[in-house]
Amino acid sequence: MITKFIKRILRRDPMERHTYANHTGAPKRVPKKSHRIDPHLLSKNAVKVTHTLQQAGYEAFIVGGAVRDLALGIGPKDFDVATNATPEQVQKLFRKARLIGRRFQIVHVTFFGKGAPEIIEVSTFRALLDNAGDHVAESGRILRDNVWGTQHEDAARRDFSINAMYYDPATETVLDYHGGMADMQKKTLRMIGDPAKRYREDPIRMLRAIRFAAKTGFTLDAATREPIAKLGNLIHDVPSARLFDEILKLLMSGYSWAAIQGLRDAGLHHGLLPLLDHILDTKTESKGANDFVRLALANTDQRIQSGKSVSAGFLFATLLWPDLLKNWQQNIAKGMSNIPALHDAMDDTIATQSSGMTIQRRFESDMREIWSMQPRFEKRVGRYPYRLLESPRFRAGYDFMLLRCATGEQNPALGEWWTKFIAADPAGQEALMTAAKTDNQGGLGNPQAAAKRRRRRKPKIATPTEGAAS
Ligand code: ATP
Ligand code: MG
């Protein structure tokens, strides 16, 4: 009996103690000298929240991505708190606290300070029941009772080991349930439990895997990576709005180019954005498009990494531009005139995109505005330049045009002209317009002229511009 037991222990896979279903052990308590989290990177408000909850007798920790980022030495962009207090109990403790969500209620605690208000998201430890809500009848009460769980269960529900660590600012201790610290040292992204099962439960986790790998530079553990090739198609079962949110996070991660390469390597890009299909599949054929998108993404990454804002409309306008340009050129070849050809192409591009992942309306109107401004940059006489300058989205349209110049798809002289025009005084502006009359090479930027120019000269990657400002 004893020998059988010993044999079984020896046969055990060393990873088994981390597995989803079997894991029942206590967490590893990681002291400050091992995790080296710098308390200066903590949000004072998040600490206030854990402190207030702990003073009221509850358990409370900073959790999830914030702990991962802190352990990496990065200042988290937002802070989540997990507690054993119920949402109602949490709400009673804070002045500005709002209950959010129906099935799984969480509390948003808002703090007003000098800058933008900070929201700390407080969630109650959740139970391990898969799709807990579905197990329960209509009654809200039963539902709620079933949803809350222990901290240990809450940890097992999370996606990656490095996202399942709990930090207590009071003791500066990390509770590590799934070997997250060891994975951090190994620079490994590892799904908690059986990865295939976890991806089936929620296919978005495949995209999260790619995003976090790009952001942290970590490698996906083999067992975490392998099922993605087979299960990738499940992504299309995810409701479009959720998929859109996740793709937006991926593009706005500050590591979008790396993440898109990751999507391609994992075969996950199909049907998400048409441009990813053409560009990532046929590298040489769409060299110009590839250059444009690469530059746009490098530009976005640079802005995000240096803490600047990026508009999602601008970003999607760049991602769909190669597709739009192709449609525009085709319409012109069919005999349509420039502007109607552009508008028709915009409709086509958006319709094709919507068959994959629908881009939210509010971004769609920004995209249309940026696109339809493009031919207007070529009209450099009379009132036209002044009117363009007054458009509310001028800056975005101008930045977009500069990106086109940087890849040689638009004549760089046009970008230079506008840069001077914006800075010039009224007399200088008049002089620039007079000069434009003579240097106007007839459709400086129309797609046919641009296509000819592209054939003549090799597009080059220039330094990312200061684009994308909203
Ligand atoms: P970031 O906010 O930097 O994008 P994050 O890890 O904080 O990264 P969130 O979406 O804010 O990501 O989620 C917070 C935490 O909730 C995660 O760290 C993870 O523990 C858990 N989580 C989020 N989404 C899932 C999911 N789809 N499956 C399992 N756990 C998840
Ligand atoms: Mg987060």
Side-chain angles (χ1 to χ4, degrees):
M1 182 70 199
I2 292 279
T3 40
K4 217 169 157 190
F5 177 67
I6 291 172
K7 269 188 192 156
R8 213 171 66 213
I9 293 284
L10 289 176
R11 246 190 291 124
R12 246 190 196 168
D13 178 327
M15 285 300 167
E16 194 184 306
R17 68 200 156 86
H18 297 312
T19 58
Y20 189 52
N22 299 344
H23 179 82
T24 49
K28 197 170 165 201
R29 304 181 79 84
V30 186
K32 186 176 185 181
K33 67 176 182 350
S34 308
H35 62 64
R36 305 237 181 96
I37 286 177
D38 175 0
H40 294 102
L41 292 176
L42 290 171
S43 142
K44 287 199 175 61
N45 295 326
V47 176
K48 261 186 222 159
V49 170
T50 54
H51 180 78
T52 306
L53 283 160
Q54 289 169 353
Q55 290 297 101
Y58 301 110
E59 289 164 30
F61 302 86
I62 291 169
V63 69
V67 185
R68 172 198 71 221
D69 290 350
L70 288 166
L72 285 168
I74 305 172
K77 64 176 164 42
D78 45 47
F79 283 80
D80 296 330
V81 166
T83 177
N84 63 349
T86 64
E88 288 81 6
Q89 288 166 336
V90 174
Q91 196 186 26
K92 281 192 195 122
L93 294 172
F94 300 96
R95 232 159 23 98
K96 284 267 175 250
R98 225 151 62 92
L99 286 174
I100 308 282
R102 282 178 54 206
R103 263 178 62 166
F104 306 112
Q105 278 192 326
I106 53 170
V107 184
H108 276 181
V109 182
T110 308
F111 292 90
F112 297 93
K114 274 188 212 125
E118 186 181 14
I119 295 177
I120 307 293
E121 195 168 291
V122 185
S123 25
T124 305
F125 295 145
R126 290 219 341 231
L128 194 49
L129 290 172
D130 300 338
N131 304 319
D134 298 336
H135 285 250
V136 180
E138 311 291 314
S139 148
R141 166 116 267 137
I142 300 167
L143 178 75
R144 278 213 295 278
D145 289 345
N146 276 285
V147 167
W148 314 137
T150 62
Q151 186 172 6
H152 161 258
E153 286 181 293
D154 187 81
R157 276 187 52 254
R158 294 177 182 272
D159 47 7
F160 301 97
S161 64
I162 61 169
N163 281 351
M165 299 189 285
Y166 297 73
Y167 179 69
D168 178 0
T171 59
E172 295 188 57
T173 306
V174 169
L175 299 188
D176 179 8
Y177 281 85
H178 293 278
M181 281 295 170
D183 284 337
M184 299 250 354
Q185 269 154 12
K186 286 185 274 174
K187 297 194 179 303
T188 298
L189 202 58
R190 194 164 48 77
M191 179 63 75
I192 297 169
D194 170 17
K197 179 169 177 261
R198 307 288 326 271
Y199 294 137
R200 280 203 196 88
E201 277 170 10
D202 181 6
I204 277 290
R205 289 172 185 153
M206 293 187 264
L207 294 178
R208 289 175 60 87
I210 304 298
R211 171 159 65 95
F212 293 132
K215 180 175 163 172
T216 56
F218 286 15
T219 311
L220 289 179
D221 166 67
T224 300
R225 191 188 60 242
E226 273 153 18
I228 297 180
K230 246 193 357 236
L231 302 177
N233 271 339
L234 296 179
I235 294 272
H236 301 288
D237 299 341
V238 175
S240 189
R242 187 153 178 249
L243 192 58
F244 179 84
D245 285 349
E246 188 55 39
I247 291 290
L248 196 57
K249 277 193 191 170
L250 188 139
L251 294 172
M252 302 283 212
S253 62
Y255 300 86
S256 63
W257 182 246
I260 282 182
Q261 299 301 307
L263 287 182
R264 185 192 54 201
D265 296 346
L268 277 180
H269 58 291
H270 290 279
L272 292 178
L273 287 166
L275 104 130
L276 296 180
D277 288 356
H278 327 305
I279 294 176
L280 298 179
D281 290 343
T282 53
K283 261 185 171 163
T284 43
E285 236 176 76
S286 350
K287 172 96 174 62
N290 205 342
D291 282 345
F292 182 82
V293 170
R294 189 200 306 238
L295 185 66
L297 293 176
N299 180 36
T300 305
D301 288 349
Q302 199 188 46
R303 286 185 65 88
I304 292 176
Q305 286 178 24
S306 54
K308 292 183 189 156
S309 70
V310 169
S311 106
F314 185 95
L315 190 54
F316 283 111
T318 58
L319 294 179
L320 295 177
W321 178 250
D323 201 58
L324 173 66
L325 203 55
K326 199 179 72 200
N327 290 337
W328 187 9
Q329 282 162 356
Q330 277 169 359
N331 285 345
I332 288 173
K334 276 189 257 165
M336 285 172 85
S337 53
N338 203 27
I339 305 298
L342 170 62
H343 284 266
D344 190 79
M346 293 193 320
D347 293 342
D348 274 357
T349 300
I350 288 176
T352 312
Q353 173 58 48
S354 306
S355 65
M357 175 194 69
T358 317
I359 293 178
Q360 283 171 13
R361 285 239 170 252
R362 61 197 163 114
F363 301 127
E364 192 187 305
S365 61
D366 283 1
M367 282 156 47
R368 283 179 184 273
E369 229 175 301
I370 290 169
W371 289 337
S372 57
M373 245 185 255
Q374 296 310 305
R376 296 175 64 197
F377 282 104
E378 287 161 38
K379 296 195 165 181
R380 296 176 296 157
V381 288
R383 297 292 313 151
Y384 290 115
Y386 298 107
R387 259 189 242 144
L388 186 54
L389 208 55
E390 282 161 14
S391 338
R393 303 280 301 150
F394 172 80
R395 187 78 209 178
Y398 164 74
D399 284 339
F400 194 89
M401 188 262 298
L402 290 183
L403 271 182
R404 297 172 58 213
C405 293
T407 47
E409 181 245 305
Q410 175 56 284
N411 189 338
L414 189 70
E416 286 156 23
W417 188 92
W418 273 98
T419 305
K420 285 187 202 144
F421 188 79
I422 295 167
D425 60 14
Q429 290 182 330
E430 286 301 321
L432 278 163
M433 287 202 293
T434 311
K437 276 187 202 148
T438 50
D439 85 354
N440 202 340
Q441 300 152 15
L444 203 51
N446 86 38
Q448 279 163 326
K452 270 194 214 134
R453 247 196 331 275
R454 249 208 323 282
R455 278 196 292 277
R456 279 203 305 272
R457 51 198 212 92
K458 244 181 124 195
K460 58 174 191 293
I461 291 276
T463 341
T465 59
E466 283 286 284
S470 48

